[in-house]
Amino acid sequence: MDEQFKQHGAFSWCELLTSDVAAAKAFYTKLFGWETEEMSVPGMTYTVIKAGGKEIGGIMNVPPEAKGMPPAWGSYVTVDDVDRTAKAAEQLGGKILMPPQDIPDVGRFCVIQDPQGAVINAIAYLKR
């Protein structure tokens, strides 16, 4: 991942949660010319999306804890400290839909809903 996306406040990743990964891959690869690569992560298969050979996002099945939600794209914003960001979001009137948790070999993230109802993800990447 380019360093510019690891800067605090930068949009860094987009992810599709869907009920049909194969159909989503077929649609988006034809629509945008994306390449995809399967990645095995504990408990699931994750599809990494690439444009011009660079990783730009991912596709995965809607996880059990979000069962019933419609397919949706989510955006990730890089932060220096996910736990501090989650606390700040609550202090500013937002809600934490998924509390801070680790993604093995990637970093730590949470899902935030702003006071108007929009949802966004905050992520702190592992330092490498």
Side-chain angles (χ1 to χ4, degrees):
M1 176 179 293
D2 292 344
E3 288 303 311
Q4 71 186 31
F5 299 116
K6 292 185 177 181
Q7 173 185 327
H8 181 87
F11 280 95
S12 58
W13 194 253
C14 291
E15 189 169 71
L16 174 61
L17 300 182
T18 184
S19 56
D20 190 338
V21 170
K25 284 173 33 180
F27 177 80
Y28 288 108
T29 57
K30 289 176 186 158
L31 181 66
F32 296 128
W34 288 342
E35 304 153 19
T36 61
E37 182 179 328
E38 303 305 312
M39 229 176 106
S40 183
V41 293
M44 68 180 207
T45 299
Y46 188 82
T47 301
V48 175
I49 302 164
K50 296 180 180 182
K54 293 189 177 207
E55 296 178 353
I56 59 165
I59 301 172
M60 62 183 273
N61 282 308
V62 174
E65 59 269 20
K67 186 178 179 185
M69 76 169 271
W73 281 96
S75 297
Y76 285 78
V77 173
T78 302
V79 297
D80 294 328
D81 184 320
V82 168
D83 295 83
R84 188 171 56 224
T85 299
K87 287 179 185 171
E90 288 180 314
Q91 291 169 350
L92 293 167
K95 294 179 186 172
I96 303 306
L97 301 181
M98 183 173 288
Q101 58 188 275
D102 294 329
I103 304 170
D105 300 321
V106 175
R108 190 164 173 80
F109 86 109
C110 70
V111 180
I112 299 166
Q113 184 178 45
D114 75 17
Q116 293 74 42
V119 176
I120 196 159
N121 306 294
I123 188 164
Y125 294 98
L126 293 174
K127 307 292 182 207
R128 297 183 197 243

